[in-house]
């Protein structure tokens, strides 16, 4: 019996399409769940998904299905050709050119279920002991192994085997009728050597959750300094790259950085890379969605914009260069000051641990609540704040960076420091 | 394709088990500035089982529709893995065995892919021709059909087809302060053929949206601080969902939600009655009608707040047993490979007696806030919503448009400040709620007049 991709490519060739790409993804997922600090569920999923794209007469259609019988694939090919046939012509649709066939491997291929249970149970036991006021809400500890094969009609043939453990944990604290804001974090691991509490930023976030039982509104309003934590920086980087560097921002022309390639767009202290193939990244990737071998890319180097984050289509459409990866796996270079030293230099500011806000507008204006955050005065953290808002502009924020911490948090899917910036409007209660 | 006769596998359900066959079919089309950037069909189908073994759950799924007995066995193994280590020794759930078959699929002839594409393209062409000075425009169509069958070892059974189709239009203009954008969505429960008769029927909506865009582009940034505001239905709905609804999901209550301390207490103005409706309101289908949930429980309406008093929480079977109440039918799963979680269905504040015009006229200095972008809330009921459309209210009259802003507050405090509730009811029904899994939900209500914190620049 022919394998799924061979069958699919034969049907596509028979259908007379000009170009195609096919991706077969086989996924085995094993997870254990804590609910209200109690082991509640073991869940396993096995799935195979076939995605393919056809281009005919510069018209394109995309299909995804997980029923992989020959009849289902034949029907899906017919549907894809129909989808393409009614779409508009666009000469910028394309697939990746021939590249050397390669196989990529990363991470554990099988879950160690006994060890998974032991470390999750250890986490569930440790939290009430060390942080008795913390309430664990939803906690999901999973192992996922994905085998993905990418082929296209130009002869590209990539296979990726990737296994990774991931923890997602959501928590708050409660003491009598006092309740702290909810907080959460997630991180990825290739090995289960350490206890979960000792990974990433988890222990510090749980401690902060307890401290936020006594959060109070900040009074008044000021424009000043903020220190953005690594957890919060992760969200802001997603906004920044989407609003200024991605396909939609460049195709629509709304990015205010669209003419800034090679120019200074941020503080010279800021260097941002996406390193999906680096050994230090547990949850990376090796092939882009449009069929290129991913490379590690520095997007901003010492404040200078070195690359947009354009796919093949985005690059063709905007007549710019394609990015050598599809972003994510962010690594920000560390600075030379410790967090304590950075905070010691701030007269009045906010340690921003989580941004709960609306999506930034097309020019990068943002406005939201600074959750799980702390008021800083005269070089010291004074108290945890509630009902405190921050607003500003993303481009201005990254231009205003004064310092970057020497410490960084390894999330498995990113490695990020604390960032000290200025010019943010901080408003508390009147 | 879903398996209709799952009941034949009942003899294999040795312990408390939910067996589900489900297919989600998706069509997404998107034009950005006249470029077709998305033209995707997606089908995700499979089988899942969830087994309850003395207090521990095991879940398994497979895309292979012939692997039903293997999936049941895998779910049993997972439950027994946990039971062997946790040994909770809990009794099975109280048996319940409702039955229903509900299809909200169209009875009209299905349109071809070409006809649907032409519809979307015609809307894009209308915008391009009518408003040539726009800096950008996006027209997208999102359709999803959720079809499932469910049987449980207690004898409950369900067949449902829940479709939803939405057209979303966003328009942008450049200003000296950068691009300004507005958006509008149409559609809701039902397949494309039932929700969209002709492109021309949407042109008036687009014209109104463009008028809002112009006023917003000429508008001002709001002044930060606590202001009297009228929150239109879309914002009142997201307040009900995000800031109150989530805090009253029983699993969140067990996780430390502030609502756990408030049961039976006055938490809002007596003008506020807030409900999570199962399937019907005022004789009409809700945006996401649920008759039997994914644990096989008959779904019932839940009064969360009744005339200002917190009355109840949303439950699945396990949380209902913990709290000593009946399950409410709020256990829902998105894809076949997802386990049911406690989720909202159709969450809304019920209408009052005031008119929106009178509510605006009663405010000397405030804002009329009309449309949210996104929203978040936490266990304290502290929330924030992005607002992308609104106007100043000066001297009881609408004034200048306002730029994007964020509003925030503590939801129970905001609801205590409500002094007027409008007499109309609008649903926004394109929303997806995120909580481990996505799930389509309905949210809505009337407009409310309240005090709220405005985040300015």
């Amino acid at each position: 019996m022919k394998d799924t991709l061979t069958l699919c490519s034969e049907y596509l060739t028979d259908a007379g399409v000009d170009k195609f790409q096919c991706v077969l993804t086989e996924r085995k997922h094993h997870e254990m769940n804590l609910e209200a600090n109690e082991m509640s569920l073991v869940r396993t999923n096995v799935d195979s998904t076939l995605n393919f794209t056809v281009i005919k007469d510069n018209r394109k259609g995309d299909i995804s299905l997980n029923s992989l019988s020959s009849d289902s694939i034949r029907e899906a090919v017919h549907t894809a050709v129909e989808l393409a046939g009614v779409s508009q012509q666009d000469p910028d649709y394309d697939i990746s050119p021939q590249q050397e066939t390669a196989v990529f491997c990363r991470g554990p291929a099988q879950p160690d279920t006994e060890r998974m249970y032991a470390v999750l149970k250890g986490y569930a036991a440790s939290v009430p002991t060390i942080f008795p006021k913390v309430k664990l809400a939803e906690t999901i500890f999973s192992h996922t192994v994905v085998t993905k094969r990418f082929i296209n009609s130009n002869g590209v043939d990539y296979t990726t085997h990737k296994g990774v453990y991931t923890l997602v944990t959501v928590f708050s604290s409660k003491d009598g009728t006092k309740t702290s804001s909810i907080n959460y974090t997630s991180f990825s691991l290739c090995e289960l050597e350490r206890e979960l509490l000792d990974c990433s930023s988890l222990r510090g976030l749980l401690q902060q959750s307890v401290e936020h039982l006594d959060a109070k509104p900040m009074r008044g309003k000021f424009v000043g300094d903020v220190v953005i934590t690594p957890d919060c920086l992760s969200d802001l980087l997603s906004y920044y790259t989407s609003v200024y560097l991605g396909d939609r921002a460049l195709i629509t022309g709304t990015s205010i950085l669209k003419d800034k390639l090679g120019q200074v767009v941020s503080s010279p202290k800021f260097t941002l890379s996406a390193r999906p193939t680096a050994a230090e990244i547990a949850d990376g990737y090796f092939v882009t969605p449009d069929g290129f071998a991913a490379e590690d890319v520095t997007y901003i180097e010492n404040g200078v914009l070195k690359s947009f984050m354009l796919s093949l289509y985005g690059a063709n459409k905007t007549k710019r260069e394609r990015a050598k990866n599809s972003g994510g796996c962010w690594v920000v270079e560390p600075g030379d000051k410790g967090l304590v030293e950075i905070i010691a230099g701030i007269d009045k500011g906010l340690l921003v641990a989580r941004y709960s806000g609306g999506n930034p507008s097309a020019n990068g204006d943002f406005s939201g609540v600074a959750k799980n955050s702390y008021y800083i005065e005269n070089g010291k953290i004074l108290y945890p704040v509630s009902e405190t808002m921050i607003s500003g502009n993303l481009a201005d924020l990254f231009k205003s960076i004064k310092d970057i911490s020497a410490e960084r948090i390894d999330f498995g899917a990113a490695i990020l420091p604390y960032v000290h910036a200025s010019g943010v409007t901080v408003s508390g209660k009147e | 394709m879903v398996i209709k006769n799952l009941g034949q596998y009942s003899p294999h359900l040795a312990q408390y088990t939910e067996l589900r066959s489900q297919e989600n079919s998706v069509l997404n089309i998107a034009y950005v500035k006249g470029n077709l950037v998305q033209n995707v069909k997606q089908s995700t189908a499979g089988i899942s089982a969830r087994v309850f073994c003395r207090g521990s759950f095991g879940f398994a799924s497979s895309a292979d529709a012939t692997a039903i007995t293997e999936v049941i066995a895998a779910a049993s193994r997972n439950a027994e893995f946990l039971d062997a280590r946790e040994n909770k020794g809990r009794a099975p759930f109280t048996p319940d065995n409702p039955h229903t078959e509900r299809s909200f699929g169209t009875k009209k002839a299905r349109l071809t892919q070409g006809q649907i594409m032409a519809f979307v393209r015609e809307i894009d062409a209308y915008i391009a021709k009518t408003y040539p000075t726009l800096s950008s425009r996006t027209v997208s169509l999102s359709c999803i059909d959720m079809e499932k069958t469910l049987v449980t070892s207690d004898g409950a059974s369900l067949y449902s087809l829940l479709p939803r189709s939405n057209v979303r239009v966003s328009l942008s203009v450049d200003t000296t302060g950068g691009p300004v954008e507005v958006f509008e969505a149409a559609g809701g429960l039902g397949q494309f053929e039932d929700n969209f008769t002709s492109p021309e029927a949407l042109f008036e909506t687009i014209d109104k949206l463009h008028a809002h865009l112009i006023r917003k582009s000429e508008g001002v940034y709001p002044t930060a601080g606590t202001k009297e505001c009228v929150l239109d239905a879309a914002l009142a709905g997201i307040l009900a969902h995000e800031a109150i609804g989530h805090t009253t999901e029983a699993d969140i209550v067990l996780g430390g939600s502030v609502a756990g301390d408030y049961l039976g207490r006055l938490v809002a103005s007596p003008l506020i009655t807030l409900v999570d409706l199962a399937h019907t309101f005022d004789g009409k289908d809700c945006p996401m009608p649920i008759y039997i949930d994914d644990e096989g429980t008959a779904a019932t309406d839940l009064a969360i707040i009744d005339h200002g008093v917190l009355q109840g929480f949303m439950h699945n079977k396990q949380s209902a047993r913990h709290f000593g109440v009946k399950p409410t039918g709020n256990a829902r799963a998105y894809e076949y490979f997802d386990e049911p979680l406690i989720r909202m269905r159709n969450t809304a504040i019920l209408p009052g007696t005031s008119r929106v015009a009178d509510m605006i006229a009663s405010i000397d200095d405030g804002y009329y806030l009309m449309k949210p972008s996104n929203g978040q809330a936490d266990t304290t009921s502290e929330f924030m919503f992005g607002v992308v459309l609104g106007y100043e209210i000066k001297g009881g009259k609408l004034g200048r448009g306002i730029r994007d802003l964020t509003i925030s507050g503590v939801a129970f405090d905001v609801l205590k400040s409500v002094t007027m509730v409008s007499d109309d009811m609008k649903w926004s029904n394109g929303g997806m709620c995120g909580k481990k899994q996505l799930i389509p939900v309905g949210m809505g209500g009337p407009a409310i007049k309240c005090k709220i914190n405005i985040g300015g620049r």
Side-chain angles (χ1 to χ4, degrees):
Chain A
M1 190 172 161
K2 289 177 179 171
D3 70 63
T4 300
L5 284 178
T6 304
L7 205 59
C8 186
S9 59
E10 285 181 2
Y11 289 153
L12 288 164
T13 304
D14 292 346
V17 303
D18 301 327
K19 299 174 182 178
F20 65 82
Q21 68 176 40
C22 307
V23 186
L24 179 66
T25 305
E26 295 174 337
R27 182 174 176 273
K28 290 181 183 174
H29 180 79
H30 195 107
E31 79 176 31
M32 298 177 187
N33 287 228
L34 285 178
E35 195 173 305
N37 208 37
E38 179 180 293
M39 299 289 286
S40 58
L41 170 75
V42 172
R43 171 173 172 253
T44 49
N45 299 131
V46 180
D47 195 19
S48 297
T49 306
L50 177 65
N51 299 79
F52 56 91
T53 299
V54 303
I55 300 173
K56 188 173 184 180
D57 299 329
N58 290 330
R59 302 173 195 270
K60 184 166 86 83
D62 295 299
I63 287 284
S64 170
L65 70 159
N66 71 343
S67 174
L68 303 183
S69 68
S70 59
D71 285 347
S72 297
I73 296 170
R74 187 186 293 112
E75 185 183 334
V77 167
H78 175 78
T79 305
V81 172
E82 185 190 9
L83 272 176
V86 299
S87 80
Q88 69 177 24
Q89 285 188 309
D90 189 335
D92 296 316
Y93 294 140
D94 206 352
I95 59 173
S96 58
Q98 185 173 21
Q99 297 154 81
E100 192 174 340
T101 297
V103 177
F104 307 97
C105 297
R106 172 73 54 87
Q110 295 290 334
D112 182 343
T113 53
E114 291 295 348
R115 180 66 183 151
M116 281 179 75
Y117 178 81
V119 296
L120 187 58
K121 189 74 179 171
Y123 177 58
S126 301
V127 169
T129 305
I130 303 171
F131 306 104
K133 291 171 185 169
V134 166
K135 291 265 191 181
L136 291 179
E138 179 185 76
T139 296
I140 304 153
F141 189 36
S142 64
H143 174 272
T144 306
V145 61
V146 174
T147 297
K148 187 178 283 195
R149 187 169 168 216
F150 184 111
I151 64 169
N152 75 15
S153 53
N154 285 339
V156 170
D157 190 344
Y158 289 130
T159 302
T160 302
H161 304 279
K162 192 181 93 174
V164 68
Y165 294 100
T166 302
L167 181 83
V168 179
T169 184
V170 182
F171 47 86
S172 61
S173 292
K174 198 156 179 67
D175 185 16
T177 57
K178 289 194 292 186
T179 300
S180 75
S181 285
I182 205 164
N183 205 356
Y184 53 84
T185 193
S186 70
F187 53 83
S188 300
L189 305 163
C190 278
E191 295 169 340
L192 300 182
E193 294 169 333
R194 291 179 294 162
E195 295 303 313
L196 295 173
L197 261 182
D198 296 328
C199 297
S200 190
S201 56
L202 184 51
R203 187 183 292 267
L205 294 180
L206 291 167
Q207 176 61 38
Q208 290 169 11
S209 177
V210 177
E211 292 166 4
H212 270 75
L213 284 166
D214 296 312
K216 59 184 181 182
M218 195 199 74
R219 297 285 162 184
K221 175 179 174 181
F222 66 90
V223 178
D225 288 4
V226 292
V227 177
I228 300 159
T229 68
D231 281 270
C232 184
L233 182 62
S234 175
D235 290 340
L236 295 186
L237 286 174
S238 296
Y239 288 134
Y240 185 95
T241 52
S242 168
V243 166
Y244 297 136
L245 306 183
D247 274 8
R248 189 176 191 278
L250 274 299
I251 290 172
T252 59
T254 56
S255 169
I256 60 174
L257 303 186
K258 63 189 174 191
D259 301 317
K260 300 289 187 186
L261 194 65
Q263 298 181 38
V264 172
V265 295
S266 75
S267 158
K269 293 188 175 181
F270 183 67
T271 293
L272 172 69
S273 304
R275 294 186 189 159
T277 74
E280 61 192 345
I281 298 292
D283 194 5
Y285 59 90
F286 296 94
V287 181
T288 66
D290 45 13
F292 292 88
E295 300 173 31
D296 295 341
V297 175
T298 298
Y299 282 88
I300 297 174
E301 186 171 20
N302 298 323
V304 176
L305 181 63
K306 309 297 280 190
S307 173
F308 291 111
M309 204 172 74
L310 288 166
S311 69
L312 176 63
Y313 176 74
N316 290 345
K317 180 57 65 184
T318 61
K319 311 300 179 214
R320 291 182 164 95
E321 192 174 345
R322 182 187 67 82
K324 299 294 188 291
N325 65 34
S326 48
C329 304
W330 299 115
V331 177
V332 172
E333 294 304 311
D336 52 12
K337 284 186 185 172
L339 176 63
V340 172
E341 187 183 356
I342 288 173
I343 290 173
I346 296 174
D347 292 333
K348 188 173 185 176
L350 203 67
L351 176 70
V352 182
R354 185 158 70 88
Y355 169 76
S356 173
N359 292 325
S361 58
N363 67 355
D365 284 351
F366 65 89
S367 174
V369 181
K371 307 291 288 190
N372 313 100
S373 299
Y374 292 84
Y375 178 65
I376 301 168
E377 195 172 281
N378 297 326
K380 289 184 178 160
I381 291 175
L382 284 197
Y383 57 84
V385 297
S386 62
E387 299 183 70
T388 299
M389 300 190 76
I390 55 172
S391 59
N393 178 274
L394 283 171
D396 294 342
L397 182 80
F398 282 84
K399 275 184 202 162
S400 76
I401 289 172
K402 293 179 174 177
D403 272 311
I404 291 178
S405 72
E407 309 96 315
R408 293 191 298 175
I409 298 292
D410 181 355
F411 296 98
I415 301 173
L416 303 173
Y418 295 82
V419 169
H420 174 198
S422 62
V424 173
T425 301
V426 180
S427 43
K429 279 210 159 182
E430 291 173 329
Chain B
M1 183 174 291
V2 300
I3 298 168
K4 294 282 178 66
N5 55 345
L6 277 182
Q8 65 180 301
Y9 295 93
S10 294
H12 297 274
L13 311 183
Q15 307 178 82
Y16 172 84
T17 305
E18 299 140 10
L19 179 64
R20 180 158 43 97
S21 168
Q22 182 170 339
E23 178 172 14
N24 285 7
S25 303
V26 171
L27 169 66
N28 288 323
I29 295 171
Y31 281 87
V32 175
K33 218 173 175 179
N35 300 296
L36 181 65
V37 298
Q38 196 174 33
N39 183 24
V40 181
K41 266 194 168 180
Q42 183 178 330
S43 163
T44 309
I47 295 288
S48 67
R50 189 173 71 152
V51 171
F52 182 81
C53 179
R54 301 186 334 120
S56 294
F57 277 112
F59 183 95
S61 70
S62 172
D64 182 356
T66 65
I68 294 177
T69 54
E70 290 87 341
V71 166
I72 296 168
S76 299
R77 279 196 303 276
N78 288 340
E80 287 155 9
F81 173 93
L82 208 50
D83 178 55
R85 289 155 182 80
E86 296 291 310
N87 192 26
K88 297 178 188 174
R90 291 179 192 157
F93 299 116
T94 304
D96 186 17
N97 58 356
H99 306 264
T100 198
E101 292 190 10
R102 298 278 171 173
S103 171
F104 292 87
T106 184
K107 294 182 173 58
K108 298 177 182 174
R110 302 306 308 266
L111 296 180
T112 66
Q113 194 63 37
Q115 289 170 308
I116 293 173
M117 182 66 79
F119 180 101
V120 180
R121 199 157 42 213
E122 193 169 335
I123 292 172
D124 184 67
Y126 172 79
I127 298 169
K129 182 181 172 189
T130 313
Y131 303 110
T133 58
L134 292 175
S135 60
S136 186
R137 63 186 189 277
T138 300
V139 181
S140 61
L141 169 69
S142 302
C143 304
I144 180 168
D145 292 348
M146 297 175 65
E147 185 177 25
K148 67 177 73 167
T149 54
L150 170 81
V151 296
T152 72
S153 52
D154 288 340
S157 69
L158 164 72
Y159 166 81
S160 71
L161 171 58
L162 279 175
R164 188 160 83 169
S165 50
N166 294 97
V167 168
R168 189 178 189 277
V169 172
S170 70
L171 311 176
S172 303
V173 289
D174 282 335
T175 70
T176 51
V180 170
E181 188 174 48
V182 293
F183 70 87
E184 184 63 273
L189 174 68
Q191 289 175 315
F192 182 90
E193 292 79 0
D194 287 339
N195 283 339
F196 302 106
T197 51
S198 70
E200 292 80 5
L202 291 174
F203 290 172
E204 185 183 349
T205 300
I206 292 167
D207 294 342
K208 286 181 180 172
L209 184 65
H210 183 263
H212 283 307
L213 176 68
I214 297 308
R215 293 191 65 183
K216 181 178 176 180
S217 70
E218 296 164 349
V220 294
Y221 285 100
T223 307
T226 303
K227 292 282 185 182
E228 264 197 319
C229 295
V230 174
L231 305 189
D232 207 8
L235 273 151
I238 200 169
L239 183 77
H241 173 97
E242 291 287 350
I244 302 295
H246 279 303
T247 64
T248 58
E249 292 167 328
D251 54 340
I252 306 294
V253 173
L254 288 170
S257 154
V258 70
D261 301 320
Y262 293 167
L263 201 61
R265 289 170 52 182
L266 192 70
V267 294
S269 156
L271 296 173
I272 295 295
T273 293
L274 193 156
V275 295
D276 184 57
L277 298 164
H279 44 74
T280 313
F281 175 70
D282 205 17
K284 295 176 186 163
D285 294 323
C286 290
M288 194 44 55
I290 304 296
Y291 284 83
I292 291 178
D293 75 3
D294 292 319
E295 290 182 336
T297 297
T300 53
D301 294 347
L302 172 69
I304 298 171
I305 297 174
D306 187 5
H307 294 90
V309 177
L310 186 68
Q311 294 286 9
F313 303 136
M314 287 168 261
H315 288 289
N316 60 15
K317 285 183 175 176
Q318 182 147 280
S319 72
R321 179 156 69 180
H322 177 91
F323 282 90
V325 297
K326 286 187 175 177
T328 48
N330 284 88
R332 302 178 59 200
Y334 181 46
E335 297 273 15
Y336 79 88
F337 50 75
D338 288 325
E339 79 278 22
L341 306 175
I342 299 175
R343 309 305 297 264
M344 281 169 263
R345 300 157 310 186
N346 306 280
T347 314
I349 294 169
L350 295 185
T353 57
S354 300
R355 295 188 317 132
V356 173
D358 294 337
M359 294 162 71
I360 293 169
S362 71
I363 294 176
D364 185 50
D365 180 17
Y367 296 102
Y368 177 41
L369 305 176
M370 299 174 68
K371 193 172 283 296
S373 53
N374 63 333
Q376 296 174 19
D378 71 30
T379 46
T380 60
S381 94
E382 189 179 358
F383 67 90
M384 84 77 217
F385 305 134
V387 179
V388 292
L389 188 62
Y391 291 89
E392 292 177 324
I393 302 174
K394 296 287 183 189
K397 292 187 166 53
L398 291 183
R400 296 172 295 182
I402 52 175
R403 297 290 184 92
D404 292 347
L405 71 146
T406 299
I407 58 173
S408 65
V410 174
F412 288 116
D413 292 346
V414 170
L415 289 185
K416 281 177 184 162
S417 77
V418 170
T419 52
M420 298 173 89
V421 178
S422 76
D423 58 3
D424 53 350
M425 176 82 172
K426 290 185 229 167
W427 289 106
S428 65
N429 39 28
M432 295 290 268
C433 174
K435 178 185 173 185
K436 188 179 182 187
Q437 314 151 16
L438 292 175
I439 201 86
V441 293
M443 59 184 91
I448 59 173
K449 179 186 164 189
C450 60
K451 286 183 179 170
I452 209 156
N453 186 34
I454 303 285
R457 283 202 93 185

